Amino acid sequence: MKKNKNNKAQKLEKTDLVEGINNLIEEKAEKVDKSKEALKKGKKKEEATAPAAEEKKKKKSKKDKLISKTQEKVEANLVEEVVTKREVKYIYPADCEDTLSRKKFRQQVRNKIHQLELAMLRIENQDSKEYKKAKKEYLEYKNQFVKESVAI
């Protein structure tokens, strides 16, 4: 009974987090749209001013454009970095989609790798066929599920 409640609570938390992230992304996109509209209105006002003053404002507007573009990119990327800024170390099977199944898969892979590593290191004679076979099995399994040059 407790497991069912915990699972339901975890699912609700996950959906709440996903909805919250989506809401943040939408809010940032709305802010970007509003700032673009404000820039367009500002350009129209600048065009209505005198030509001598227009040259000075163009120089400022180029700076403003660059600043606003970078601000838009930063605002849009803030949320994305939180969500996607991770290095994936494992090669997941197709059925691992949610975080819990990925976690379970990682645990299984780590446990199996540690078992194979222990079996390999228990063999004292490193020139024997048994050691070479164990090492080959260990490396094959590790290369199958773990990306190259990544520490576990």
Side-chain angles (χ1 to χ4, degrees):
M1 207 56 181
K2 288 183 180 180
K3 288 184 180 180
N4 289 336
K5 289 182 181 179
N6 289 339
N7 288 339
K8 288 180 183 178
Q10 287 177 345
K11 288 179 182 178
L12 287 175
E13 288 177 8
K14 286 181 189 177
T15 56
D16 290 343
L17 287 173
V18 170
E19 289 173 4
I21 290 171
N22 289 338
N23 289 339
L24 284 174
I25 292 172
E26 291 173 7
E27 289 174 5
K28 295 296 181 181
E30 289 174 6
K31 287 182 182 179
V32 169
D33 291 338
K34 287 179 183 178
S35 64
K36 285 182 181 179
E37 291 174 8
L39 284 174
K40 288 179 182 177
K41 289 179 183 177
K43 287 181 184 178
K44 290 178 182 176
K45 289 180 182 177
E46 286 179 9
E47 292 174 0
T49 59
E54 191 173 307
E55 291 176 14
K56 292 180 182 178
K57 289 187 179 181
K58 281 186 179 179
K59 291 180 182 177
K60 291 181 182 178
S61 66
K62 288 181 182 178
K63 280 187 177 181
D64 292 337
K65 286 180 185 178
L66 291 174
I67 291 170
S68 64
K69 284 182 183 179
T70 54
Q71 285 177 344
E72 291 171 10
K73 289 179 182 177
V74 168
E75 288 175 357
N77 287 339
L78 280 176
V79 176
E80 290 179 20
E81 286 181 19
V82 172
V83 175
T84 61
K85 191 77 172 182
R86 285 198 88 179
E87 181 183 359
V88 179
K89 298 178 181 180
Y90 295 88
I91 302 169
Y92 295 99
D95 64 337
C96 283
E97 294 177 358
D98 61 331
T99 54
L100 290 177
S101 63
R102 285 175 165 242
K103 183 177 180 179
K104 181 180 175 185
F105 175 77
R106 287 193 302 267
Q107 288 173 338
Q108 290 173 343
V109 169
R110 273 197 307 269
N111 289 339
K112 181 70 173 175
I113 286 175
H114 289 306
Q115 286 175 355
L116 293 172
E117 191 175 22
L118 281 173
M120 179 182 72
L121 295 176
R122 283 186 182 143
I123 302 170
E124 294 178 3
N125 187 4
Q126 294 185 359
D127 295 330
S128 67
K129 290 182 182 179
E130 294 175 6
Y131 180 81
K132 290 178 182 177
K133 182 181 175 184
K135 186 174 183 178
K136 183 180 177 185
E137 185 180 357
Y138 165 76
L139 291 174
E140 284 178 0
Y141 189 81
K142 188 173 179 181
N143 289 334
Q144 183 180 1
F145 293 111
V146 180
K147 290 191 176 179
E148 292 181 24
S149 68
V150 176
I152 299 176

